[in-house]
């Protein structure tokens, strides 16, 4: 929203949580709209957890980036547990936020197996039918904000189109920069082959992804992207999609299951065209099996629950005035 009004407005909504009796409160990102609620609930005796899933303030430079950083500093060290994804974030959180080692808990990025199903739903079939029968459809899904790197992906699509005229690009999802990206697609000469779905509900994302001939993921080779773990890559693999990507940060871990190139956009475009023309070699099937076996949120969540029970018991024992409702014990 303009003037970052989403923070004060959402804070007012989140403060309703003060009137909800609970043992644990989990906040996603240590932003002030979440942080204030966490700090108050902590004082009231709840176990507080904040997730630091990337270097959020690293995507912006200048005054906005510095202010965003300052606003996030107070919360993590005052919470009972700080979760994170990638190994690189552990020392960063310790040094930046002053979080002690015993409060850190690695929470791998995973997939919701219930949503990542290979379903043949009308919402997907109808959209696929709107394209030419010989179209080679590339799919991409994201919250369209500054972290999406969609400008770089547009460039890859632009290059690939010159070699494969039947290529079409589907952008799944909405976000604060959706209008800008729609204009950008036209300015880069790919507006006629690019379709935007706008916001779609989480339970329909898979239905759009499965109509693609290939998925595309690309991280710019910048420091902030080495602190991320790609949800879209895991979701695409979980659906058995052929995924073309570069090798920055977390993406390089999946080289066995994806069609990877370096960060040169010409090279990624060339690999995308090759996969679309040949159909790949089937490595995506192994990727699907790996993700479902090792990165299922049900399993990840069970391990987190065990840690939360442990933290809650310790917290209750150490805070005589805290409510020991027993919801976790």
């Amino acid at each position: 929203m303009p003037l970052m009004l989403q923070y004060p407005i959402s804070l007012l909504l989140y403060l309703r949580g003060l009137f909800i009796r609970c043992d644990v409160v989990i906040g996603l990102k240590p932003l002030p709209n979440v942080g204030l609620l966490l700090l108050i609930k902590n004082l009231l005796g709840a176990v507080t957890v904040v997730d630091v899933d990337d270097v959020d303030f690293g995507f912006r430079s200048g005054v906005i980036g510095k202010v965003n950083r300052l606003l996030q500093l107070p919360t993590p060290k005052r919470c009972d547990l700080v979760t994170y994804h990638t190994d690189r974030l552990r020392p960063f959180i310790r040094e930046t936020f002053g979080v002690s080692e015993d409060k850190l808990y690695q929470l791998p990025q995973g997939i919701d197996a219930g949503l990542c199903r290979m379903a043949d739903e009308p919402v997907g079939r109808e959209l696929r039918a709107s394209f030419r029968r010989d179209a080679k459809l590339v799919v991409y899904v994201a919250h369209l904000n500054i972290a999406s790197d969609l400008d770089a992906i547009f460039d890859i699509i632009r290059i690939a189109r010159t070699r494969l005229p039947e290529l079409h690009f589907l952008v799944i999802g909405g976000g604060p920069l959706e209008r800008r990206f729609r204009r950008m697609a036209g300015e880069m000469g790919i507006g006629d082959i690019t379709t935007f779905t706008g916001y779609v509900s989480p339970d329909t994302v898979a239905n759009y992804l499965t109509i693609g001939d290939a998925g595309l993921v690309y991280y710019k080779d910048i420091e902030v992207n080495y602190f991320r773990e790609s949800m879209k890559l895991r979701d695409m693999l979980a659906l058995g999609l052929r995924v073309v990507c570069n090798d920055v940060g977390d993406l390089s871990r999946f080289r066995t299951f994806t069609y990877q190139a370096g960060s040169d956009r010409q090279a990624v475009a060339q690999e995308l065209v090759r996969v679309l023309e040949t159909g790949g070699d089937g490595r995506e099937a192994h990727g699907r099996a790996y993700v479902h076996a090792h990165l299922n949120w049900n399993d990840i969540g069970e391990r987190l629950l065990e840690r939360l029970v442990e933290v809650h018991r310790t917290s209750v024992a150490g805070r005589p005035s805290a409510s020991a409702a027993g919801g976790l014990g």
Side-chain angles (χ1 to χ4, degrees):
M1 298 179 68
L3 303 177
M4 303 180 82
L5 288 174
Q6 67 269 20
Y7 290 133
I9 291 175
S10 58
L11 171 61
L12 293 175
L13 297 173
Y14 296 159
L15 287 177
R16 294 178 301 177
L18 293 176
F19 306 100
I20 300 174
R21 189 165 177 262
C22 59
D23 298 295
V24 178
V25 183
I26 301 176
L28 306 183
K29 293 186 183 292
L31 295 165
N33 54 341
V34 176
L36 182 59
L37 174 64
L38 289 174
L39 296 178
I40 296 174
K41 292 294 278 190
N42 185 271
L43 291 173
L44 294 174
V47 170
T48 51
V49 184
V50 67
D51 183 62
V52 181
D53 66 343
D54 59 22
V55 184
D56 181 76
F57 49 79
F59 291 104
R60 292 177 174 84
S61 59
V63 175
I64 294 180
K66 291 178 181 177
V67 171
N68 196 6
R69 179 180 183 276
L70 288 172
L71 290 173
Q72 295 186 40
L73 291 180
T75 300
K77 61 187 175 185
R78 292 176 172 83
C79 288
D80 298 289
L81 201 66
V82 178
T83 60
Y84 65 96
H85 292 321
T86 181
D87 291 336
R88 283 175 173 262
L89 275 171
R90 193 178 189 97
F92 175 85
I93 294 170
R94 283 202 314 263
E95 296 163 12
T96 303
F97 297 104
V99 177
S100 58
E101 185 72 26
D102 61 303
K103 289 185 176 182
L104 291 169
Y105 180 83
Q106 188 165 18
L107 191 68
Q109 182 65 271
I111 59 109
D112 184 330
L115 295 180
C116 292
R117 61 194 186 283
M118 299 184 71
D120 183 21
E121 298 286 348
V123 65
R125 289 200 308 270
E126 292 168 3
L127 184 58
R128 180 72 206 210
S130 68
F131 301 123
R132 286 170 39 186
R133 184 170 297 180
D134 63 344
K136 297 293 186 181
L137 184 61
V138 179
V139 290
Y140 169 83
V141 61
H143 180 58
L144 302 184
N145 61 10
I146 195 170
S148 63
D149 286 342
L150 189 52
D151 54 337
I153 290 172
F154 278 161
D155 197 33
I156 293 167
I157 293 296
R158 180 188 60 81
I159 297 167
R161 183 202 191 173
T162 63
R163 304 173 184 177
L164 192 65
E166 59 269 31
L167 184 148
H168 201 102
F169 186 43
L170 178 63
V171 179
I172 306 162
L177 298 185
E178 181 181 342
R179 289 184 180 180
R180 181 189 300 181
F181 285 133
R182 285 178 181 269
R183 289 196 303 270
M184 187 182 295
E187 292 166 358
M188 294 182 68
I190 58 171
D192 60 322
I193 64 163
T194 302
T195 299
F196 289 81
T197 66
Y199 171 80
V200 297
S201 60
D203 60 325
T204 60
V205 170
N207 300 330
Y208 287 105
L209 282 173
T210 51
I211 67 175
D213 296 298
L216 180 59
V217 180
Y218 185 89
Y219 278 175
K220 292 177 182 175
D221 193 0
I222 54 178
E223 184 181 14
V224 70
N225 281 336
Y226 285 82
F227 291 92
R228 304 170 68 186
E229 288 197 346
S230 177
M231 185 188 303
K232 61 177 66 64
L233 174 69
R234 289 159 173 76
D235 286 346
M236 289 177 179
L237 285 175
L239 291 164
L241 266 174
R242 305 176 190 94
V243 181
V244 177
C245 64
N246 65 331
D247 58 0
V248 166
D250 169 64
L251 304 182
S252 64
R253 290 178 47 202
F254 295 86
R255 63 174 61 89
T256 305
F257 310 125
T258 61
Y259 301 89
Q260 285 199 6
S263 293
D264 179 77
R265 296 175 192 179
Q266 291 276 354
V268 177
Q270 182 176 342
E271 181 67 4
L272 177 61
V273 171
R274 187 189 72 80
V275 170
L276 289 171
E277 289 181 333
T278 66
D281 57 17
R283 69 186 72 179
E284 58 275 5
H286 301 289
R288 184 171 189 269
Y290 173 84
V291 169
H292 279 275
H294 300 285
L295 299 176
N296 189 318
W297 268 118
N298 289 339
D299 301 326
I300 296 169
E302 286 288 345
R303 294 192 293 269
L304 175 62
L305 177 60
E306 292 175 5
R307 181 61 183 272
L308 289 176
V309 169
E310 176 187 333
V311 173
H312 179 260
R313 287 174 176 163
T314 303
S315 174
V316 169
R319 295 189 216 169
S321 60
S323 169
L328 284 174

